[in-house]
Amino acid sequence: MTTATTRHSDRRVSPVFVGILAVTAVTGWATWSGFAEQPGVAVFLFVTAAWVVSLCLHEYAHARTALHSGDITVGSKGYLTLNPMKYTHALLSIVLPVVFVIMGGIGLPGGAVFIERQRIRGRWRHSLISAAGPLTNVVFAAVCTAPFWLHALDGVPTQFRYALAFLALLQVTAALLNFLPVPGLDGYGVIEPWLSYKVKRQVEPFAPFGLLFVFALLWVPSVNREFFDVIDAILRGLGVSDVDTSNGYSLYRFWD
């Protein structure tokens, strides 16, 4: 078993992640109870902390799948501890995605953990490793929208409902963007093992710029409008209305 060569300490949950979970729980309670004097601040902290939790779980899913696929080095790199400071690019993986949320309400994916692909055999395993991250966002989105599509919103405070709706929007955008077949994103990682060597060599120089390209493209008004039309359609299918997400975003940007 590949996991037999990883030490227990390599898989112990980091206090940093526990701290982020604690912030999520406390601010979630403050949003639910209305305890905070400024509800927008509580919503901002709750959504941001929960968003960082989802980013950590996204990267953990990549690492855990890689571990069971043959890359036993992910443990020694700290990827299994859920500590965001252990990522190859903490700035890309955590800071920039949070900035993107603050700037435009977009759950843009961050950087990835470094997987030693040469240790992994089989194209399906390579594809699954890449897909594991955005699939985590899909699960997170399902959890956030569950009260909506289960029609279980009775008794849920309005501010908490709006916060959940906005957090769900971030998860859906992250999943959709991550699955785009753009070099540097997980969607390309899913199809890359099935491409010819020639095509991969031609695409390789563009990989570092894929994320920036997507971000720049989303600033084009027509593209942005079409993209969010798709997101809104998905959320409506899950019972989340445009009003819910719009109010959630307004609360999140409490300084406006």
Side-chain angles (χ1 to χ4, degrees):
M1 296 290 291
T2 56
T3 54
T5 58
T6 61
R7 297 173 299 177
H8 179 69
S9 60
D10 292 337
R11 292 174 286 164
R12 186 179 298 125
V13 176
S14 164
V16 175
F17 182 74
V18 173
I20 298 170
L21 277 179
V23 172
T24 304
V26 171
T27 55
W29 168 80
T31 301
W32 179 283
S33 65
F35 177 80
E37 292 184 9
Q38 293 185 318
V41 175
V43 169
F44 173 82
L45 293 174
F46 168 61
V47 172
T48 300
W51 173 235
V52 174
V53 167
S54 72
L55 292 173
C56 293
L57 292 174
H58 176 113
E59 303 298 349
Y60 175 83
H62 284 308
R64 191 76 190 192
T65 308
L67 174 67
H68 291 289
S69 297
D71 183 4
I72 59 176
T73 68
V74 294
S76 61
K77 293 171 184 171
Y79 297 158
L80 302 178
T81 66
L82 290 160
N83 185 352
M85 304 310 296
K86 294 292 186 179
Y87 299 149
T88 307
H89 299 290
L91 176 65
L92 287 176
S93 296
I94 300 297
V95 178
L96 283 183
V98 171
V99 171
F100 293 148
V101 171
I102 294 172
M103 290 176 59
I106 300 174
L108 202 63
V113 294
F114 177 71
I115 306 298
E116 296 190 12
R117 294 279 183 169
Q118 71 276 10
R119 294 175 175 268
I120 298 163
R121 299 291 179 265
R123 289 182 292 184
W124 281 108
R125 289 181 177 178
H126 284 281
S127 294
L128 184 59
I129 290 169
S130 296
L135 286 175
T136 303
N137 294 112
V138 171
V139 172
F140 215 107
V143 171
C144 291
T145 58
F148 297 87
W149 50 266
L150 289 175
H151 306 290
L153 289 168
D154 291 342
V156 176
T158 303
Q159 293 168 358
F160 191 82
R161 168 179 175 159
Y162 292 156
L164 272 185
F166 181 54
L167 184 57
L169 180 145
L170 298 181
Q171 299 303 325
V172 172
T173 57
L176 188 61
L177 289 170
N178 256 306
F179 272 126
L180 291 176
V182 176
L185 298 182
D186 292 329
Y188 178 75
V190 172
I191 65 172
E192 183 184 27
W194 308 90
L195 300 176
S196 67
Y197 176 76
K198 180 180 179 180
V199 171
K200 287 190 282 188
R201 284 296 303 271
Q202 291 175 335
V203 172
E204 187 177 0
F206 300 100
F209 309 104
L211 182 61
L212 294 177
F213 171 75
V214 170
F215 182 60
L217 198 60
L218 286 172
W219 280 98
V220 178
S222 58
V223 175
N224 186 280
R225 184 168 53 252
E226 292 296 328
F227 174 75
F228 275 102
D229 283 347
V230 173
I231 297 299
D232 289 340
I234 294 172
L235 288 171
R236 282 195 299 270
L238 294 170
V240 183
S241 70
D242 301 355
V243 174
D244 290 323
T245 55
S246 178
N247 286 335
Y249 184 51
S250 296
L251 273 174
Y252 182 80
R253 291 179 61 88
F254 66 92
W255 56 88
D256 283 348

